[in-house]
Amino acid sequence: MEVIDLAWWKLGLAALLVLALAGVSLWARLGITRSLLIASARTGIQLALIGLVLEALFASARLYWIALLATVMLLVAGREVMARQQRRLRGIWAFGIGTGAMFVSSFAVTILALTVIIGPSPWYTPQYAIPLLGMMLGNTMTGVALSLDRLNESVWHQRAVIENRLMLGQTWRQAVEDIRKDAMRGGMMPSINAMAAAGIVSLPGMMTGQILAGSPPAVAVKYQILVMLIITVGTGFGALMAVSWGSRRLFDERERLRLDRLVKVGK
């Protein structure tokens, strides 16, 4: 089946719809007009640029270029995790914990899927490696950000309860056990909800894209199942590591709660 190409002027028609929405939001005084226009412009520019990068990357298929792009994606994702936390750890920890958790979980699961399950030759073929890693990082980023944000906010608001537990002789792990579990569940819930609704409430993006590109629905379905399963695994392990490392950082070697290591964004 031939893929129908989209001319740029046709995308401009879709952009006009965004402008119409911006006009309505301005008339209704919703306060989102500027954000809507900036986000739409960034979407077009960023995706157009990454399209050029991917075309060059697919043409060369060199491992070092793929590794460079993967590193940039990881660093940007780490920055987004840090930015999405209303109350975060001071210093490099806010960036390092989220980035480290995503690196271990996303890269490990992606490499496992490429080498064992999909099996392209070579295993780092950019047609498979970059989209898989991008979806893994995007979803793991959300899970890690939600987990760390909930962890830090809960520890801050329940500081009196935690300190009372410590005075009663509990270890730091016991004092924040409920908070850690709740933070991990919060990070995994979007992935679990997406799996529960897939195929009934929504058709996931990768499956839809493959069908539009001409792939048989049966093949698209199998790839989508694979992607959703490994995304859930990567998000789960990422949230687990981020919460474990983040909660440990909130206590010192004498198991004292160190709220001075948290900083409120904007203050």
Side-chain angles (χ1 to χ4, degrees):
M1 182 182 297
E2 183 180 356
V3 178
I4 301 176
D5 193 11
L6 292 177
W8 286 105
W9 68 268
K10 293 183 179 179
L11 295 179
L13 295 178
L16 290 178
L17 297 177
V18 176
L19 291 177
L21 176 60
V24 172
S25 65
L26 180 63
W27 173 78
R29 298 181 181 178
L30 299 180
I32 62 171
T33 304
R34 177 182 173 85
S35 299
L36 176 63
L37 293 176
I38 292 176
S40 301
R42 287 187 59 179
T43 296
I45 295 172
Q46 291 170 182
L47 289 178
L49 291 176
I50 196 62
L52 296 176
V53 171
L54 290 178
E55 285 190 357
L57 191 64
F58 285 10
S60 64
R62 295 286 189 265
L63 178 59
Y64 52 84
W65 288 119
I66 298 172
L68 177 61
L69 179 58
T71 302
V72 172
M73 293 165 64
L74 174 65
L75 295 178
V76 173
R79 190 265 175 194
E80 288 298 318
V81 167
M82 183 177 65
R84 295 184 186 188
Q85 299 173 52
Q86 296 182 357
R87 200 181 302 272
R88 62 192 183 215
L89 290 168
R90 293 180 181 273
I92 193 62
W93 293 98
F95 177 80
I97 288 178
T99 305
M102 287 188 296
F103 172 74
V104 175
S105 61
S106 297
F107 278 66
V109 175
T110 300
I111 292 175
L112 178 65
L114 289 171
T115 56
V116 177
I117 302 175
I118 301 177
S121 182
W123 65 268
Y124 54 83
T125 301
Q127 177 186 352
Y128 295 93
I130 297 302
L132 280 179
L133 181 60
M135 286 183 286
M136 286 292 301
L137 282 176
N139 288 272
T140 305
M141 175 185 70
T142 299
V144 169
L146 288 173
S147 296
L148 288 176
D149 184 62
R150 181 168 296 189
L151 171 70
N152 296 337
E153 287 292 330
S154 297
V155 169
W156 177 265
H157 290 296
Q158 299 183 41
R159 54 190 181 275
V161 175
I162 296 172
E163 289 176 342
N164 286 336
R165 290 177 176 177
L166 293 173
M167 287 189 292
L168 290 173
Q170 292 186 356
T171 65
W172 71 267
R173 289 185 177 87
Q174 294 172 326
V176 295
E177 182 179 3
D178 294 339
I179 294 175
R180 280 155 51 108
K181 290 179 180 179
D182 183 62
M184 292 176 193
R185 284 194 295 265
M188 292 187 64
M189 198 54 61
S191 297
I192 295 174
N193 290 340
M195 286 199 300
I200 299 176
V201 179
S202 64
L203 290 180
M206 180 179 179
M207 174 181 168
T208 304
Q210 283 188 297
I211 292 175
L212 289 174
S215 296
V219 175
V221 164
K222 287 187 285 187
Y223 270 96
Q224 187 61 60
I225 293 173
L226 169 64
V227 166
M228 298 197 76
L229 292 178
I230 65 174
I231 281 175
T232 303
V233 171
T235 301
F237 282 118
L240 175 64
M241 287 183 286
V243 170
S244 298
W245 298 342
S247 58
R248 184 65 188 94
R249 178 61 184 167
L250 292 173
F251 296 84
D252 60 19
E253 65 280 356
R254 296 173 60 184
E255 299 200 7
R256 297 176 298 182
L257 181 61
R258 296 292 303 273
L259 292 180
D260 59 300
R261 294 177 176 176
L262 288 178
V263 59
K264 180 73 172 178
V265 175
K267 294 187 178 181

